[in-house]
Amino acid sequence: MLTCKQFLSELNDYLDDTLDPQTRSELTRHVNECPNCWVVCNTTEKTLKVFKGMEAKAVPPDIEHRLMAALEKRIADRGPICGQKKAEA
Amino acid sequence: MSAFSDLVTHYDRRIFRMAKQITQNDDDAEDVLQETFLKAYSHLDDFQGNSKFYTWLVRIAVNEALMKLRKRRSDKTVPLDEPIDTGEDEVVREIAVWDENPEQQYSREELGALLDEAIQSLKPAYRTVFILRDIEEMSIEETADLLKLSISAVKSRLLRARLQLREKLTRLFKRKGDDAFAYL
């Protein structure tokens, strides 16, 4: 029988689904029988979901303007680079 | 330039966000943003094509951001390679289920600010691992390789980061009436 601490130490691999079937099954049994670990597992999963759903805000216009100006200067100094198509892959 | 500038405008917001999250400094983040795309442009022929272009950009950006952090070592910032306590005292105090749709309690801007604040409260060593693994969705192996850490160190830091963030969000999102109770 797993302890809560053992469950917690495996929580990452459990959430990332990288465990072998037997270990996963033992953890699932524990989480189904232990209300506290169920809550920790559920809320950690929701935490990751909230962060993954976070959209990046647009770069402020002044910063983007300076970025583009720096790139244009670099291109003017060095000339165009022939490998651009690779980057689109 | 136009094909490359399309790539810049497609990815710059994510690179800038990551740079801000790691450096926690607007000026440093702008430097990282510029250096990342300037280096990417200058070394475009070195891009192997066996990884995604964005992953390649992230590698450049993370190295630039970490250099910024290292330069600030003399201030109060905790260095990235500080010894990490991997003891058993994992942070699990708040045990409460969340409201059904907690995100809807806040506007997109408010929620974004709360999540940024939560990430910034993490130590740099935890924060960087969390950003790479759970926001940029790099693998454990890629994260370890990029940060020059062992797989077990990445896993340990990631668990700490996830649990600390869970603590913070649970305080915000927990269903009213569900208070913490003794655990572990």
Side-chain angles (χ1 to χ4, degrees), chain A residues 4-13 15 36-48 51, chain B residues 85-95 98 118-119 121-122 126-127 129-130 134 154-171 183-184:
Chain A
C4 295
K5 281 188 178 179
Q6 286 171 321
F7 174 81
L8 203 57
S9 70
E10 301 282 358
L11 180 62
N12 270 350
D13 288 333
L15 291 174
N36 285 2
C37 284
W38 182 87
V39 170
V40 171
C41 182
N42 176 267
T43 50
T44 307
E45 196 170 20
K46 286 178 174 170
T47 295
L48 299 185
F51 277 103
Chain B
D85 174 12
T86 54
E88 296 297 313
D89 57 333
E90 303 296 1
V91 185
V92 179
R93 298 191 188 91
E94 290 280 357
I95 310 293
W98 287 13
I119 286 185
S121 71
L122 297 175
Y126 300 152
R127 191 169 67 231
V129 168
F130 180 80
D134 283 334
V154 168
K155 286 186 170 184
S156 161
R157 293 177 189 201
L158 184 63
L159 180 61
R160 281 298 187 88
R162 286 175 169 182
L163 290 176
Q164 287 181 18
L165 292 171
R166 187 208 73 87
E167 274 304 289
K168 291 173 197 308
L169 295 201
T170 296
R171 284 181 207 129
Y183 182 72
L184 298 181

Side-chain angles (χ1 to χ4, degrees), chain A residues 36 54 64 66 74-75 81, chain B residues 12 17 30 41-42 181:
Chain A
N36 285 2
M54 182 173 63
E64 182 144 291
R66 288 194 289 270
R74 174 67 55 92
I75 291 163
I81 288 176
Chain B
D12 65 353
R17 175 179 69 178
E30 180 174 355
Y41 183 80
S42 298
F181 48 92

